Coordinates of all heavy atoms in Angstrom, one line a residue:
M1 N -29.1 -24.1 6.0 CA -28.1 -24.1 5.0 C -27.9 -22.7 4.4 O -26.8 -22.2 4.2 CB -28.5 -25.0 3.9 CG -27.6 -25.1 2.8 SD -26.1 -26.0 3.3 CE -25.3 -26.4 1.8
R2 N -29.0 -22.0 4.2 CA -28.9 -20.6 3.6 C -28.1 -19.6 4.5 O -27.4 -18.8 4.0 CB -30.3 -20.1 3.3 CG -30.4 -18.8 2.6 CD -31.7 -18.4 2.3 NE -31.7 -17.1 1.7 CZ -32.6 -16.6 0.9 NH1 -33.6 -17.3 0.6 NH2 -32.4 -15.4 0.4
S3 N -28.3 -19.8 5.8 CA -27.6 -18.9 6.7 C -26.1 -19.1 6.6 O -25.3 -18.1 6.8 CB -28.0 -19.0 8.2 OG -27.8 -20.3 8.6
R4 N -25.6 -20.3 6.3 CA -24.2 -20.5 6.2 C -23.6 -19.8 5.0 O -22.5 -19.3 5.0 CB -23.9 -22.0 6.1 CG -24.1 -22.8 7.3 CD -23.7 -24.2 7.1 NE -24.3 -25.0 8.2 CZ -24.3 -26.3 8.2 NH1 -23.7 -27.0 7.1 NH2 -24.7 -27.0 9.2
I5 N -24.3 -19.8 3.9 CA -23.9 -19.1 2.7 C -23.8 -17.6 3.0 O -22.8 -17.0 2.6 CB -24.8 -19.4 1.6 CG1 -24.8 -20.9 1.2 CG2 -24.5 -18.5 0.3 CD1 -25.8 -21.3 0.2
I6 N -24.8 -17.0 3.6 CA -24.7 -15.6 3.9 C -23.6 -15.3 4.8 O -22.8 -14.3 4.6 CB -26.1 -15.2 4.5 CG1 -27.2 -15.3 3.4 CG2 -26.0 -13.7 5.0 CD1 -28.6 -15.1 4.0
L7 N -23.4 -16.0 5.9 CA -22.3 -15.8 6.8 C -20.9 -16.0 6.1 O -20.0 -15.2 6.4 CB -22.4 -16.7 8.1 CG -23.6 -16.4 9.0 CD1 -23.7 -17.4 10.1 CD2 -23.5 -15.0 9.5
A8 N -20.8 -16.9 5.3 CA -19.5 -17.2 4.6 C -19.2 -16.0 3.7 O -18.0 -15.7 3.5 CB -19.6 -18.4 3.7
A9 N -20.1 -15.3 3.1 CA -19.9 -14.2 2.2 C -19.7 -12.9 3.0 O -19.1 -11.9 2.5 CB -21.1 -14.0 1.3
L10 N -20.0 -12.8 4.3 CA -19.9 -11.6 5.1 C -18.5 -11.1 5.1 O -18.3 -9.9 4.9 CB -20.5 -11.8 6.4 CG -20.6 -10.6 7.3 CD1 -21.4 -9.5 6.7 CD2 -21.1 -11.0 8.7
P11 N -17.5 -11.9 5.5 CA -16.1 -11.3 5.5 C -15.7 -10.7 4.2 O -14.9 -9.7 4.2 CB -15.2 -12.5 5.9 CG -16.2 -13.5 6.6 CD -17.5 -13.2 5.9
I12 N -16.0 -11.3 3.1 CA -15.6 -10.8 1.8 C -16.2 -9.4 1.6 O -15.5 -8.5 1.1 CB -16.0 -11.7 0.7 CG1 -15.3 -13.0 0.9 CG2 -15.8 -11.1 -0.7 CD1 -15.8 -14.2 0.0
A13 N -17.5 -9.2 2.0 CA -18.1 -7.9 1.8 C -17.5 -6.9 2.7 O -17.3 -5.7 2.2 CB -19.6 -8.0 2.1
V14 N -17.2 -7.2 3.9 CA -16.6 -6.3 4.8 C -15.2 -5.9 4.3 O -14.8 -4.7 4.3 CB -16.5 -6.8 6.2 CG1 -15.6 -6.0 7.2 CG2 -17.9 -7.0 6.8
L15 N -14.4 -6.9 3.9 CA -13.0 -6.6 3.4 C -13.1 -5.7 2.1 O -12.3 -4.7 2.0 CB -12.4 -7.9 3.0 CG -10.9 -7.8 2.4 CD1 -10.0 -7.2 3.4 CD2 -10.4 -9.2 2.0
G16 N -14.0 -6.0 1.2 CA -14.1 -5.2 0.0 C -14.5 -3.7 0.3 O -13.9 -2.8 -0.3
A17 N -15.3 -3.5 1.3 CA -15.6 -2.1 1.7 C -14.4 -1.3 2.3 O -14.2 -0.2 2.0 CB -16.8 -2.2 2.7
S18 N -13.6 -2.0 3.1 CA -12.5 -1.3 3.7 C -11.4 -1.0 2.6 O -10.8 0.0 2.7 CB -11.9 -2.1 4.9 OG -11.3 -3.3 4.4
Q19 N -11.3 -1.9 1.7 CA -10.2 -1.7 0.6 C -10.7 -0.5 -0.2 O -9.9 0.3 -0.7 CB -10.1 -2.9 -0.2 CG -9.3 -4.0 0.5 CD -9.2 -5.2 -0.3 OE1 -9.9 -5.5 -1.3 NE2 -8.2 -6.1 0.0
G20 N -12.0 -0.4 -0.5 CA -12.5 0.7 -1.4 C -12.3 2.0 -0.8 O -11.9 3.0 -1.4
A21 N -12.4 2.1 0.5 CA -12.2 3.4 1.2 C -10.8 3.8 1.2 O -10.4 5.0 1.0 CB -12.7 3.3 2.7
A22 N -9.8 2.9 1.3 CA -8.4 3.2 1.3 C -8.0 3.6 -0.1 O -7.1 4.4 -0.3 CB -7.6 2.0 1.7
Q23 N -8.6 3.1 -1.2 CA -8.2 3.5 -2.5 C -8.7 4.8 -3.0 O -8.3 5.3 -4.0 CB -8.7 2.3 -3.5 CG -7.9 1.1 -3.2 CD -8.5 -0.1 -4.1 OE1 -9.4 0.1 -4.8 NE2 -7.9 -1.2 -4.0
D24 N -9.6 5.5 -2.2 CA -10.1 6.7 -2.7 C -9.2 7.9 -2.4 O -9.5 9.0 -2.8 CB -11.5 7.0 -1.9 CG -12.6 6.1 -2.4 OD1 -12.4 5.6 -3.6 OD2 -13.6 5.9 -1.7
R25 N -8.1 7.7 -1.7 CA -7.2 8.7 -1.4 C -6.5 9.2 -2.7 O -6.3 8.5 -3.6 CB -6.2 8.2 -0.4 CG -6.7 7.8 0.9 CD -5.7 7.5 2.0 NE -4.4 7.3 1.4 CZ -3.4 6.6 2.0 NH1 -3.6 6.2 3.3 NH2 -2.2 6.5 1.5
S26 N -6.2 10.5 -2.7 CA -5.6 11.1 -3.9 C -4.1 11.1 -3.8 O -3.4 11.5 -4.7 CB -6.2 12.5 -4.1 OG -5.8 13.3 -3.1
T27 N -3.5 10.8 -2.6 CA -2.1 10.8 -2.4 C -1.6 9.4 -1.8 O -2.5 8.7 -1.3 CB -1.6 11.9 -1.5 OG1 -2.2 11.7 -0.2 CG2 -2.0 13.3 -2.0
V28 N -0.4 9.1 -2.0 CA 0.2 7.9 -1.4 C 1.6 8.3 -0.8 O 2.1 9.3 -1.1 CB 0.4 6.8 -2.4 CG1 -0.9 6.3 -3.0 CG2 1.3 7.3 -3.6
T29 N 2.0 7.4 0.1 CA 3.3 7.6 0.7 C 4.3 6.8 -0.1 O 4.0 5.6 -0.4 CB 3.3 7.2 2.2 OG1 2.3 8.0 2.9 CG2 4.7 7.4 2.8
A30 N 5.4 7.4 -0.5 CA 6.4 6.7 -1.3 C 7.8 6.9 -0.6 O 8.1 8.0 -0.1 CB 6.4 7.2 -2.7
C31 N 8.6 5.9 -0.6 CA 9.9 5.9 0.0 C 11.1 5.6 -0.9 O 10.8 4.8 -1.8 CB 9.9 5.0 1.2 SG 8.6 5.3 2.4
E32 N 12.2 6.0 -0.6 CA 13.4 5.7 -1.4 C 13.9 4.3 -1.2 O 14.5 3.7 -2.1 CB 14.5 6.7 -1.1 CG 14.2 8.1 -1.5 CD 15.3 9.1 -1.1 OE1 16.3 8.7 -0.6 OE2 15.1 10.3 -1.3
T33 N 13.6 3.7 0.0 CA 14.0 2.3 0.3 C 12.9 1.4 0.6 O 11.8 1.9 1.2 CB 15.0 2.3 1.5 OG1 14.3 2.7 2.7 CG2 16.2 3.3 1.2
L34 N 13.0 0.2 0.3 CA 12.0 -0.8 0.7 C 11.9 -1.0 2.2 O 10.8 -1.2 2.7 CB 12.4 -2.2 0.0 CG 11.4 -3.3 0.3 CD1 10.0 -3.0 -0.1 CD2 11.9 -4.6 -0.5
L35 N 13.0 -0.8 2.9 CA 13.0 -0.9 4.4 C 12.1 0.1 5.0 O 11.3 -0.2 5.9 CB 14.4 -0.8 4.9 CG 14.5 -0.9 6.5 CD1 14.0 -2.2 7.0 CD2 16.0 -0.7 6.9
A36 N 12.2 1.4 4.6 CA 11.3 2.4 5.1 C 9.9 2.1 4.8 O 9.0 2.4 5.6 CB 11.8 3.8 4.5
T37 N 9.6 1.6 3.6 CA 8.3 1.3 3.2 C 7.7 0.2 4.1 O 6.5 0.3 4.5 CB 8.2 0.9 1.7 OG1 8.8 1.9 0.9 CG2 6.8 0.6 1.2
R38 N 8.5 -0.8 4.3 CA 8.0 -1.9 5.2 C 7.8 -1.4 6.6 O 6.8 -1.9 7.3 CB 9.0 -3.0 5.2 CG 8.9 -3.8 3.9 CD 9.7 -5.1 3.9 NE 9.9 -5.8 5.1 CZ 9.0 -6.7 5.5 NH1 7.9 -6.9 4.9 NH2 9.2 -7.4 6.7
R39 N 8.6 -0.5 7.1 CA 8.4 0.0 8.5 C 7.0 0.7 8.6 O 6.3 0.6 9.5 CB 9.5 1.0 8.8 CG 10.8 0.3 9.1 CD 11.9 1.3 9.1 NE 12.5 1.3 10.4 CZ 13.7 1.9 10.6 NH1 14.3 2.6 9.6 NH2 14.3 1.9 11.7
I40 N 6.7 1.5 7.6 CA 5.4 2.3 7.6 C 4.3 1.3 7.5 O 3.3 1.4 8.2 CB 5.4 3.4 6.5 CG1 6.4 4.5 6.8 CG2 4.0 3.9 6.3 CD1 6.5 5.4 5.6
D41 N 4.4 0.3 6.6 CA 3.4 -0.7 6.4 C 3.1 -1.5 7.6 O 2.0 -1.8 7.9 CB 3.8 -1.6 5.2 CG 2.6 -2.5 4.7 OD1 1.5 -2.1 4.9 OD2 2.9 -3.6 4.2
A42 N 4.1 -1.8 8.4 CA 3.9 -2.6 9.6 C 3.5 -1.7 10.8 O 2.9 -2.3 11.8 CB 5.3 -3.2 10.0
A43 N 3.6 -0.4 10.7 CA 3.2 0.4 11.8 C 1.6 0.5 12.0 O 0.9 0.2 11.0 CB 3.7 1.8 11.7
T44 N 1.2 0.8 13.1 CA -0.3 0.9 13.3 C -0.6 2.3 14.0 O 0.3 2.9 14.7 CB -0.9 -0.2 14.2 OG1 -0.2 -0.2 15.4 CG2 -0.7 -1.6 13.6
G45 N -1.8 2.8 13.9 CA -2.2 4.0 14.6 C -1.4 5.2 14.2 O -1.0 5.3 13.1
P46 N -1.1 6.1 15.1 CA -0.4 7.3 14.9 C 1.1 7.0 14.3 O 1.6 7.8 13.6 CB -0.3 8.0 16.2 CG -1.4 7.4 17.0 CD -1.6 6.0 16.5
A47 N 1.6 5.9 14.7 CA 3.0 5.5 14.2 C 3.0 5.4 12.7 O 4.1 5.6 12.1 CB 3.5 4.3 14.9
R48 N 1.9 5.0 12.1 CA 1.9 4.8 10.6 C 2.0 6.2 9.9 O 2.5 6.3 8.8 CB 0.6 4.2 10.3 CG 0.5 3.8 8.8 CD -0.6 2.8 8.5 NE -0.8 2.6 7.1 CZ -0.2 1.6 6.5 NH1 0.5 0.7 7.1 NH2 -0.4 1.5 5.2
E49 N 1.6 7.2 10.6 CA 1.7 8.6 10.0 C 3.0 9.3 10.4 O 3.3 10.4 9.9 CB 0.5 9.5 10.5 CG -0.9 8.8 10.1 CD -1.0 8.6 8.6 OE1 -0.6 9.4 7.8 OE2 -1.6 7.5 8.2
A50 N 3.8 8.7 11.2 CA 5.1 9.3 11.6 C 6.0 9.4 10.4 O 6.1 8.5 9.6 CB 5.7 8.5 12.8
P51 N 6.8 10.5 10.3 CA 7.7 10.7 9.2 C 8.8 9.6 9.3 O 9.3 9.3 10.3 CB 8.2 12.1 9.3 CG 7.9 12.5 10.7 CD 6.8 11.7 11.2
E52 N 9.1 9.1 8.1 CA 10.2 8.1 8.0 C 11.3 8.8 7.0 O 10.9 9.3 6.0 CB 9.6 6.8 7.4 CG 10.6 5.7 7.3 CD 10.9 5.0 8.7 OE1 10.1 4.9 9.5 OE2 12.1 4.7 8.9
A53 N 12.5 8.6 7.3 CA 13.6 9.2 6.5 C 13.5 8.7 5.1 O 13.3 7.5 4.8 CB 15.0 8.9 7.0
G54 N 13.5 9.6 4.1 CA 13.4 9.2 2.7 C 12.0 9.0 2.1 O 11.9 8.5 1.0
C55 N 11.1 9.3 2.9 CA 9.6 9.1 2.5 C 9.0 10.4 2.3 O 9.3 11.4 3.0 CB 8.9 8.3 3.5 SG 9.6 6.6 3.7
R56 N 8.0 10.4 1.4 CA 7.2 11.7 1.2 C 5.8 11.3 0.7 O 5.6 10.2 0.1 CB 7.9 12.6 0.3 CG 8.2 12.1 -1.1 CD 9.0 13.1 -1.8 NE 9.3 12.7 -3.2 CZ 10.4 12.2 -3.6 NH1 11.3 11.9 -2.7 NH2 10.6 11.8 -4.9
T57 N 4.9 12.2 0.8 CA 3.6 12.1 0.2 C 3.5 12.6 -1.2 O 4.0 13.7 -1.4 CB 2.5 12.7 1.1 OG1 2.6 12.2 2.4 CG2 1.1 12.5 0.6
I58 N 3.0 11.9 -2.1 CA 2.9 12.3 -3.5 C 1.5 12.1 -4.1 O 0.8 11.1 -3.6 CB 4.0 11.6 -4.4 CG1 3.8 10.1 -4.4 CG2 5.4 11.9 -4.0 CD1 4.6 9.3 -5.4
P59 N 1.1 12.9 -5.1 CA -0.2 12.6 -5.7 C -0.2 11.4 -6.5 O 0.9 11.0 -7.2 CB -0.4 13.9 -6.6 CG 0.7 14.9 -6.2 CD 1.8 14.1 -5.5
K60 N -1.3 10.6 -6.5 CA -1.4 9.4 -7.3 C -1.2 9.7 -8.7 O -0.7 8.8 -9.5 CB -2.7 8.7 -7.0 CG -2.8 7.9 -5.8 CD -4.1 7.2 -5.7 CE -4.2 6.3 -4.6 NZ -5.4 5.5 -4.5
A61 N -1.6 10.9 -9.2 CA -1.5 11.3 -10.6 C 0.0 11.2 -11.1 O 0.3 11.1 -12.3 CB -2.1 12.6 -10.9
N62 N 0.9 11.4 -10.1 CA 2.4 11.4 -10.5 C 3.0 10.1 -10.6 O 4.2 10.0 -11.0 CB 3.2 12.3 -9.5 CG 2.8 13.7 -9.6 OD1 2.0 14.2 -10.4 ND2 3.4 14.5 -8.7
I63 N 2.3 9.0 -10.3 CA 2.8 7.7 -10.3 C 2.7 7.1 -11.8 O 1.7 7.2 -12.4 CB 2.1 6.8 -9.3 CG1 2.3 7.3 -7.9 CG2 2.6 5.3 -9.4 CD1 1.6 6.5 -6.9
G64 N 3.9 6.5 -12.2 CA 3.9 5.8 -13.5 C 3.9 4.3 -13.4 O 3.1 3.7 -12.7
T65 N 4.8 3.7 -14.1 CA 4.8 2.2 -14.2 C 5.7 1.6 -13.1 O 6.5 2.3 -12.5 CB 5.4 1.9 -15.6 OG1 6.7 2.4 -15.7 CG2 4.5 2.4 -16.7
V66 N 5.5 0.3 -13.0 CA 6.3 -0.5 -12.0 C 7.7 -0.8 -12.6 O 7.8 -1.2 -13.7 CB 5.6 -1.9 -11.7 CG1 6.5 -2.7 -10.8 CG2 4.2 -1.6 -11.1
E67 N 8.7 -0.4 -11.8 CA 10.1 -0.8 -12.2 C 10.6 -2.0 -11.5 O 11.4 -2.8 -12.1 CB 11.0 0.4 -11.9 CG 10.9 1.5 -12.9 CD 12.1 2.5 -12.9 OE1 13.1 2.2 -12.2 OE2 12.0 3.6 -13.4
Q68 N 10.3 -2.2 -10.2 CA 10.7 -3.3 -9.5 C 9.5 -3.8 -8.6 O 8.7 -3.1 -8.2 CB 11.9 -2.9 -8.6 CG 13.1 -2.5 -9.2 CD 14.2 -2.0 -8.2 OE1 14.3 -2.7 -7.2 NE2 14.8 -1.0 -8.5
R69 N 9.6 -5.2 -8.3 CA 8.6 -5.7 -7.5 C 9.3 -6.6 -6.4 O 10.3 -7.2 -6.7 CB 7.7 -6.6 -8.2 CG 6.7 -5.9 -9.0 CD 5.6 -6.8 -9.6 NE 4.5 -6.0 -10.2 CZ 4.4 -5.8 -11.4 NH1 5.2 -6.4 -12.3 NH2 3.4 -5.1 -11.9
A70 N 8.7 -6.7 -5.2 CA 9.2 -7.6 -4.2 C 8.0 -8.2 -3.5 O 7.0 -7.5 -3.3 CB 10.1 -6.8 -3.2
L71 N 8.1 -9.4 -3.1 CA 7.1 -10.1 -2.3 C 7.8 -10.6 -1.0 O 8.7 -11.4 -1.1 CB 6.6 -11.3 -3.1 CG 5.4 -12.1 -2.5 CD1 4.2 -11.1 -2.4 CD2 5.1 -13.3 -3.3
I72 N 7.4 -10.0 0.1 CA 8.0 -10.3 1.4 C 6.9 -10.7 2.3 O 6.0 -9.9 2.6 CB 8.8 -9.0 1.9 CG1 9.8 -8.6 0.9 CG2 9.4 -9.3 3.3 CD1 10.5 -7.3 1.3
G73 N 7.0 -11.9 2.8 CA 6.1 -12.5 3.7 C 4.7 -12.5 3.2 O 3.7 -12.3 3.9
G74 N 4.6 -12.6 1.8 CA 3.3 -12.7 1.2 C 2.7 -11.3 0.8 O 1.6 -11.2 0.2
A75 N 3.4 -10.2 1.3 CA 3.0 -8.9 1.0 C 3.7 -8.3 -0.2 O 4.9 -8.3 -0.3 CB 3.2 -7.9 2.2
P76 N 3.0 -7.8 -1.2 CA 3.6 -7.3 -2.4 C 4.0 -5.8 -2.3 O 3.3 -5.0 -1.7 CB 2.5 -7.4 -3.5 CG 1.2 -7.2 -2.7 CD 1.5 -7.8 -1.3
Y77 N 5.2 -5.5 -2.7 CA 5.7 -4.1 -2.8 C 6.1 -3.8 -4.2 O 6.6 -4.6 -4.8 CB 6.8 -4.0 -1.8 CG 6.4 -4.2 -0.3 CD1 6.5 -5.5 0.2 CD2 6.0 -3.2 0.4 CE1 6.2 -5.7 1.5 CE2 5.6 -3.4 1.8 CZ 5.7 -4.6 2.3 OH 5.3 -4.8 3.6
E78 N 5.9 -2.5 -4.6 CA 6.3 -2.1 -5.9 C 7.0 -0.8 -5.9 O 6.7 0.1 -5.1 CB 5.0 -1.9 -6.8 CG 4.3 -3.2 -7.0 CD 3.0 -3.0 -7.8 OE1 2.4 -2.0 -7.8 OE2 2.7 -4.0 -8.6
C79 N 8.1 -0.8 -6.7 CA 8.8 0.5 -6.8 C 8.4 1.1 -8.1 O 8.5 0.5 -9.2 CB 10.4 0.2 -6.9 SG 11.4 1.6 -6.7
M80 N 7.8 2.2 -8.0 CA 7.1 2.9 -9.2 C 7.9 4.1 -9.7 O 8.4 4.8 -8.9 CB 5.7 3.3 -8.7 CG 4.8 2.3 -8.0 SD 4.2 1.0 -9.0 CE 3.0 1.9 -10.0
T81 N 7.7 4.3 -11.0 CA 8.3 5.6 -11.5 C 7.4 6.7 -11.0 O 6.2 6.6 -10.9 CB 8.3 5.6 -13.0 OG1 7.1 5.4 -13.5 CG2 9.3 4.5 -13.6
V82 N 8.1 7.8 -10.7 CA 7.3 9.0 -10.2 C 7.8 10.2 -11.0 O 9.0 10.4 -11.1 CB 7.6 9.2 -8.7 CG1 6.9 10.5 -8.2 CG2 7.1 8.0 -7.9
A83 N 6.9 11.0 -11.5 CA 7.2 12.2 -12.2 C 8.1 13.1 -11.4 O 7.8 13.4 -10.2 CB 5.9 12.9 -12.7
G84 N 9.2 13.6 -11.9 CA 10.1 14.5 -11.2 C 11.1 13.9 -10.3 O 11.8 14.5 -9.6
S85 N 11.1 12.5 -10.3 CA 12.0 11.8 -9.4 C 13.0 11.1 -10.3 O 12.6 10.5 -11.4 CB 11.2 10.8 -8.6 OG 12.1 10.1 -7.8
G86 N 14.3 11.0 -10.0 CA 15.3 10.4 -10.8 C 15.2 8.9 -10.8 O 15.8 8.2 -11.7
R87 N 14.6 8.3 -9.7 CA 14.5 6.9 -9.7 C 13.2 6.5 -9.1 O 12.4 7.3 -8.7 CB 15.6 6.3 -8.7 CG 15.6 7.0 -7.4 CD 16.7 6.5 -6.5 NE 16.1 5.4 -5.8 CZ 16.8 4.8 -4.8 NH1 17.9 5.1 -4.4 NH2 16.2 3.7 -4.2
C88 N 12.9 5.1 -9.2 CA 11.6 4.7 -8.7 C 11.5 4.8 -7.2 O 12.5 4.9 -6.5 CB 11.3 3.2 -9.1 SG 12.4 2.0 -8.3
L89 N 10.3 4.9 -6.7 CA 10.0 5.0 -5.3 C 9.1 3.9 -4.8 O 8.2 3.5 -5.6 CB 9.4 6.4 -4.9 CG 10.2 7.6 -5.2 CD1 9.4 8.9 -4.9 CD2 11.5 7.6 -4.4
W90 N 9.4 3.3 -3.6 CA 8.6 2.2 -3.1 C 7.3 2.8 -2.5 O 7.4 3.6 -1.6 CB 9.3 1.4 -2.1 CG 10.5 0.7 -2.6 CD1 11.8 1.2 -2.7 CD2 10.5 -0.5 -3.3 NE1 12.6 0.2 -3.3 CE2 11.8 -0.8 -3.7 CE3 9.5 -1.5 -3.5 CZ2 12.1 -2.0 -4.4 CZ3 9.9 -2.7 -4.2 CH2 11.1 -2.9 -4.6
V91 N 6.2 2.3 -3.0 CA 4.9 2.9 -2.6 C 4.3 2.0 -1.5 O 4.3 0.8 -1.5 CB 3.9 2.9 -3.8 CG1 2.5 3.3 -3.3 CG2 4.4 3.8 -4.9
V92 N 3.9 2.7 -0.4 CA 3.3 2.0 0.8 C 1.9 1.5 0.4 O 1.1 2.2 0.0 CB 3.3 3.0 2.0 CG1 2.6 2.2 3.2 CG2 4.6 3.5 2.4
P93 N 1.7 0.2 0.6 CA 0.4 -0.4 0.3 C -0.7 0.1 1.1 O -0.5 0.5 2.2 CB 0.6 -1.9 0.4 CG 1.9 -2.1 0.9 CD 2.7 -0.9 1.0

């Protein structure tokens, strides 16, 4: 019985560790359109780092509040205010 409890908790511990590493970055990718954001989010490997029109890397310190939210296929997306930008930008999760 005890081994079932340990094994059941294992995926949660592994998931938590990978999310923590991703959140340590000091910059994020932000895009003018939700479509561009979703394309980057869906990409894997080197394609995820490929430039997308209307997207740029910005420091996390420049991100402000949420202006818009979208939930697509269970994935949350947020359009955040960004210092020096005239409108909100969609941040790649």
Side-chain angles (χ1 to χ4, degrees):
M1 180 73 162
R2 185 176 178 156
S3 63
R4 288 185 196 170
I5 294 170
I6 293 171
L7 291 176
L10 185 59
I12 295 169
V14 171
L15 177 63
S18 65
Q19 287 178 342
Q23 293 175 356
D24 289 339
R25 297 185 345 195
S26 62
T27 62
V28 295
T29 302
C31 303
E32 294 176 7
T33 65
L34 179 56
L35 178 60
T37 304
R38 286 188 33 82
R39 287 166 120 166
I40 292 172
D41 190 29
T44 59
R48 188 166 171 94
E49 302 303 320
E52 186 73 39
C55 299
R56 60 183 180 267
T57 302
I58 57 171
K60 278 187 175 181
N62 290 359
I63 296 176
T65 59
V66 176
E67 282 194 15
Q68 297 178 41
R69 286 192 171 99
L71 186 64
I72 301 173
Y77 295 92
E78 296 179 328
C79 195
M80 312 284 289
T81 58
V82 176
S85 180
R87 52 179 275 186
C88 68
L89 298 175
W90 293 94
V91 176
V92 177

